[in-house]
Amino acid sequence: MRAHLLTAFAIGVVLIGAGLVPSVQRVRAVTPDPSDVVLVLDFSASILQDATNRNRFGAALERIADRVDQTSADLVAGDATVTIVQFATRAADVPGCADLKLLGSAETVSRFANCLRAVAGAYRKGISTALTKRIGIDTNYVAAMEQAALHLPADSVRPAMILFTDGKHDVAGVPVSEVQPALERLFGARSPFALLPVGMGLDPKLRDALSAGLERLKVIRAMPACITGAVFDWPQVVFQTADDAGNAVAVALQDATCTFTAAPVPSGTPIPTPAPVSGIRLNPGDGRIDLSWTPAAANASPAVIDYTVHCRAGDTGSWIDSTEGVSPEPSATIEGLTNGTPYQCEVAAVAASGPGAWTAAVGTVSPFGRPPAPGKPSVEALNRAVRVGVAPVAGSVVTRYRVECSADHGATWPGGVDVGSDTATVQIDNLANGVDYVCRAFAANSIGSSDASPLSDTIRPCGSTLECNAALVPLLGGLAVVLIGGILAALFLLFRGRTHGHVVAVIDVVHTANIGHGSKLGVALVRVPGGRAITGIVADRGKTADLKIHRRRGGRFEVHDKVGRHMVEDGVPLVVIDSVGGRHSLVLQAFATNAASRVASRR
């Protein structure tokens, strides 16, 4: 029989402490047997979704790998064949890590160490598409045992299967009732044989059920003890932390291969962990939070190889881990969050020895998406412009609004105006008077812009009261006719009793004056000081008159304005031009009080 010294796995003794595996009283078996060991590791979703503990378990595997490198010469002299299997819904050998015969091969010992590091890295990365496609996400003890059996020869002197898991058998299509029959079918006739479960029972409420299930799987049949006079035993199957579970894997490997060359360190020696992170910054996004922090110093000891990050809703929500995988970059993203819900976040640095203390970010932050569309805008017509009232968006993050107006019923939207979120009204300038417009609004933030609001009512920019109220034009025209008729009737009644005929002038319907009687008459326009608008008219027969009027026979008048001479009948409107170029409507009406004057007025 060949002696072997698999001292790498004695690190389990180092990590657990002197109280678990005291070395000073041990005596190695005189002729230790060759061993075949299959390390079967749970890669189901339940463990890969727990970033903190999968990192810690991965760190334990890395510590074992370091010991493999340190004790390579002893391992080359040993006689162990090691295989590493991954399992979830299905089970498969870790590529390049099956049937590693360590005896006489430093190269194989080095490959074994690298396999442990590769598996540790896979734990740190968590769920990956490639791994999920390969072995699934559920927990299948039957598949794990069937794959392990392929690497345990029938004539093996010390065959052992070490099963690491964090949950019960729960795969669809393979009921739990098939687990014990599979164990009996695969290993019931094997002697010697050991199946050593290592359960990571983190949840106290599930720990008893996990322990009961793994106790039924535990097998120790005719396995010789490594210490003369001792009994091969595996008293504990469930461990309460990831570090304890990782250490138990190392102890199981040690017991299966009889390696006692590493003396334990004094109990209580602290394992170095990285310093807490600082300067955590939170940037909310759409269903996500982007985190960044101050990176660890380049010369930090121990060196930081990764960061673990998680967030939860309020104080009681479940922690949600980042999914970037292993990276020393000081940034991460937590996705799949609920917009509008406050979250608190924590970050911890990770070294080869495990993660450091968590650092909580100051305060909470709420993810948010692009805002909803504003309500229907209100509109007000101005001269060559429109004033638009923006309906505010409540209950959402808004940093600005955009307002646009269209002159073709929404076919095109040329330009627009951006304003702050605290602005209630927006003026859109450089529009055309007399053209119908519709307007719309958008709300926006750093995530994006909302959909368009409902279209406003149609609005027409205008420059005067009549232009802005087109419906008043026919109404005012009718009122003007009635007014003129009433004025003429009143004047007729006023002057009907006089003995001499008088002439009444009406300018622009509303300005009236009795300009006297006789053949030579005139009208002066009274204007606003400094302007052209008129406020009234008066009789003026002098040279300053704006309009000079001569009565002619047959009820006619000869009118002289700025542009020339005009003939007009009594009571017929005439357009005249005043001395400053203004256009006016003029009506002249002669009144007589007796038959003689009426006859005279017609000559």
Side-chain angles (χ1 to χ4, degrees):
M1 303 295 245
R2 290 169 293 181
H4 57 273
L5 301 172
L6 190 57
T7 49
F9 302 125
I11 187 64
V13 183
V14 175
L15 296 175
I16 294 176
L20 290 179
V21 189
S23 66
V24 294
Q25 300 297 326
R26 290 182 176 169
V27 179
R28 263 185 288 169
V30 176
T31 57
D33 298 317
S35 58
D36 293 275
V37 180
V38 182
L39 178 57
V40 185
L41 302 174
D42 186 347
F43 272 80
S44 61
S46 59
I47 189 169
L48 295 185
Q49 289 174 339
D50 185 347
T52 300
N53 291 294
R54 73 170 189 254
N55 275 323
R56 288 175 174 160
F57 185 74
L61 294 182
E62 288 172 347
R63 292 194 293 272
I64 297 173
D66 291 341
R67 286 296 299 165
V68 169
D69 284 334
Q70 294 166 9
T71 60
S72 176
D74 291 336
L75 294 171
V76 168
D79 189 5
T81 300
V82 183
T83 297
I84 304 179
V85 170
Q86 294 172 310
F87 83 97
T89 305
R90 297 171 293 280
D93 298 342
V94 174
C97 302
D99 300 320
L100 300 178
K101 297 183 182 300
L102 307 184
L103 179 63
S105 176
E107 180 180 354
T108 305
V109 172
S110 178
R111 187 193 304 174
F112 177 43
N114 290 335
C115 285
L116 289 169
R117 293 191 179 96
V119 173
Y123 274 111
R124 290 185 183 280
K125 290 179 182 177
I127 292 178
S128 70
T129 302
L131 184 60
T132 298
K133 287 182 178 179
R134 183 166 176 249
I135 63 174
I137 61 173
D138 298 324
T139 305
N140 188 345
Y141 288 166
V142 173
M145 291 187 294
E146 288 176 341
Q147 190 67 24
L150 299 176
H151 301 282
L152 296 173
D155 59 351
S156 178
V157 177
R158 292 179 65 86
M161 171 183 168
I162 300 169
L163 174 66
F164 165 73
T165 184
D166 79 327
K168 62 183 180 180
H169 174 93
D170 61 0
V171 65
V174 184
V176 69
S177 60
E178 294 188 14
V179 174
Q180 288 300 126
L183 175 64
E184 186 65 24
R185 170 172 53 86
L186 294 168
F187 306 116
R190 296 295 299 266
S191 182
F193 176 73
L195 195 160
L196 308 180
V198 177
M200 187 164 67
L202 302 179
D203 189 339
K205 293 181 292 185
L206 303 177
R207 197 174 295 150
D208 289 344
L210 176 61
S211 180
L214 295 183
E215 283 287 353
R216 287 194 293 270
L217 287 179
K218 183 176 71 172
V219 176
I220 299 175
R221 187 180 299 123
M223 286 288 285
C226 295
I227 302 175
T228 301
V231 177
F232 190 102
D233 194 15
W234 191 247
Q236 183 176 353
V237 296
V238 172
F239 303 86
Q240 298 182 15
T241 69
D243 286 334
D244 289 345
N247 297 341
V249 168
V251 172
L253 286 165
Q254 166 190 274
D255 290 354
T257 56
C258 293
T259 57
F260 302 125
T261 59
V265 297
S267 178
T269 299
I271 298 173
T273 58
V277 302
S278 62
I280 301 175
R281 297 170 294 278
L282 307 179
N283 183 30
D286 189 2
R288 58 186 282 168
I289 297 175
D290 296 319
L291 299 93
S292 59
W293 52 88
T294 302
N299 59 350
S301 180
V304 172
I305 61 174
D306 188 22
Y307 293 95
T308 181
V309 182
H310 60 202
C311 298
R312 68 177 178 182
D315 296 325
T316 59
S318 299
W319 288 107
I320 302 172
D321 298 307
S322 64
T323 58
E324 280 84 0
V326 178
S327 172
E329 293 299 318
S331 61
T333 298
I334 305 293
E335 297 181 307
L337 307 182
T338 302
N339 287 340
T341 299
Y343 286 85
Q344 57 176 287
C345 302
E346 296 180 341
V347 181
V350 179
S353 59
W358 288 102
T359 299
V362 176
T364 62
V365 69
S366 299
F368 61 89
R370 66 189 187 104
K376 179 180 177 181
S378 62
V379 286
E380 177 186 354
L382 303 174
N383 185 21
R384 294 179 54 79
V386 170
R387 182 178 291 116
V388 182
V390 180
V393 174
S396 184
V397 176
V398 177
T399 57
R400 62 184 176 87
Y401 290 103
R402 180 172 180 81
V403 178
E404 301 172 341
C405 293
S406 171
D408 50 15
H409 306 289
T412 60
W413 300 89
V417 175
D418 292 309
V419 296
S421 60
D422 57 347
T423 302
T425 60
V426 182
Q427 183 166 314
I428 307 295
D429 295 315
N430 300 319
L431 305 182
N433 285 345
V435 175
D436 288 337
Y437 289 85
V438 290
C439 301
R440 67 183 183 182
F442 298 85
N445 56 30
S446 60
I447 303 301
S449 180
S450 72
D451 294 333
S453 70
L455 297 182
S456 70
D457 295 333
T458 300
I459 192 69
R460 179 181 297 174
C462 49
S464 66
T465 302
L466 286 179
E467 189 176 15
C468 294
N469 298 274
L472 293 178
V473 174
L475 176 62
L476 292 177
L479 291 175
V481 171
V482 173
L483 180 61
I484 291 174
I487 291 173
L488 294 178
L491 291 175
F492 174 76
L493 294 175
L494 177 66
F495 294 104
R496 182 173 61 177
R498 300 179 66 130
T499 58
H500 299 287
H502 287 257
V503 176
V504 173
V506 180
I507 296 291
D508 295 335
V509 180
V510 297
H511 303 294
T512 304
N514 185 347
I515 59 175
H517 62 278
S519 60
K520 294 184 179 181
L521 305 170
V523 176
L525 307 182
V526 181
R527 296 182 177 83
V528 176
R532 300 176 62 177
I534 66 173
T535 60
I537 61 175
V538 296
D540 187 353
R541 302 183 187 216
K543 295 181 179 181
T544 59
D546 290 269
L547 303 174
K548 297 179 176 58
I549 301 169
H550 300 276
R551 294 184 67 176
R552 300 301 183 193
R553 295 180 180 275
R556 296 185 301 162
F557 294 92
E558 178 181 328
V559 179
H560 293 264
D561 63 4
K562 183 176 181 179
V563 298
R565 171 178 171 273
H566 311 277
M567 297 297 296
V568 64
E569 297 289 334
D570 189 321
V572 176
L574 172 68
V575 177
V576 296
I577 308 300
D578 64 18
S579 59
V580 295
R583 294 172 63 88
H584 304 280
S585 172
L586 171 67
V587 177
L588 297 172
Q589 180 71 57
F591 294 89
T593 58
N594 52 45
S597 61
R598 286 196 296 271
V599 171
S601 65
R602 295 191 182 96
R603 291 178 179 175

